[in-house]
Amino acid sequence: QVLINQVTLNKITNPGSGSPNRLLYTRWIGGGLRNPQGVIATTLNLGDRPFAVDISSVNDVYITRLDAAAMQRVDLPAFAFSGVVSVGSIPTQVAFNPAGTTAWVTNQFSHNVGVVDVATNTQVRTIPIPGDPFDVMTSANGATIYVSSNNANVYAIDAATDQILATLPLGGTITNNFA
């Protein structure tokens, strides 16, 4: 939904596809909603296994970097690196609240979700999660975050209090992603 309201499409190339770890910046050509024309405006080199990306409603971007225990910040439309946020071990996914003021990052091997103050680029606290958290997403109103874990559960967490509101057991052994 964020991309619908933006004029840019950002992605990280997959090192397994033969391309280096680079953040590509492409731009939309023409009006209306359609696929980008493949015009690469610029690239930025990014190491430490970039994994996930989210774009806030105010054009801030966080990219998780698995091997750095950090997230890289990129500001749009300048498309410039503007800071690094130290987080927990193996940060896999990131999600912003609707206002773009807070982000949550799943610190997989630290067994927690980091709460990031976007204004200061600082992980200000963590929320313990059973198992290894993998994916995170926010509700449309930002009041609840949802976290998947490798223990086959999805956790609903109150975004204001950091308390687990509910646990949805899905069975099996791994719950990695949301659709």
Side-chain angles (χ1 to χ4, degrees):
Q1 182 179 6
V2 173
L3 288 177
I4 292 172
N5 298 321
Q6 303 298 321
V7 293
T8 59
L9 173 68
N10 297 273
K11 73 173 202 174
I12 300 173
T13 60
N14 183 344
S17 69
S19 63
N21 289 331
R22 289 191 179 171
L23 181 66
L24 300 178
Y25 174 72
T26 61
R27 60 186 169 89
W28 295 96
I29 297 177
L33 296 176
R34 61 185 193 181
N35 292 328
Q37 300 297 310
V39 176
I40 297 175
T42 189
T43 63
L44 297 172
N45 289 323
L46 188 62
D48 299 313
R49 287 194 306 157
F51 190 78
V53 62
D54 197 20
I55 305 169
S56 79
S57 60
V58 293
N59 289 329
D60 294 320
V61 178
Y62 278 141
I63 304 161
T64 62
R65 296 169 52 210
L66 298 178
D67 295 338
M71 292 192 301
Q72 183 71 51
R73 182 173 172 159
V74 179
D75 290 330
L76 297 177
F79 198 69
F81 290 138
S82 60
V84 175
V85 181
S86 295
V87 296
S89 179
I90 311 294
T92 49
Q93 299 290 334
V94 59
F96 286 96
N97 69 348
T101 56
T102 302
W104 292 270
V105 57
T106 48
N107 298 314
Q108 189 173 22
F109 289 178
S110 295
H111 314 289
N112 64 49
V113 173
V115 181
V116 176
D117 178 343
V118 177
T120 63
N121 275 343
T122 305
Q123 180 175 281
V124 293
R125 61 187 180 278
T126 59
I127 306 166
I129 300 292
D132 298 330
F134 187 77
D135 205 352
V136 60
M137 64 183 289
T138 59
S139 62
N141 65 4
T144 306
I145 63 169
Y146 299 93
V147 177
S148 68
S149 180
N150 70 341
N151 64 4
N153 290 322
V154 171
Y155 299 94
I157 300 169
D158 185 299
T161 67
D162 299 339
Q163 297 301 307
I164 294 176
L165 301 171
T167 301
L168 176 63
L170 299 177
T173 58
I174 297 177
T175 309
N176 277 347
N177 289 307
F178 296 116

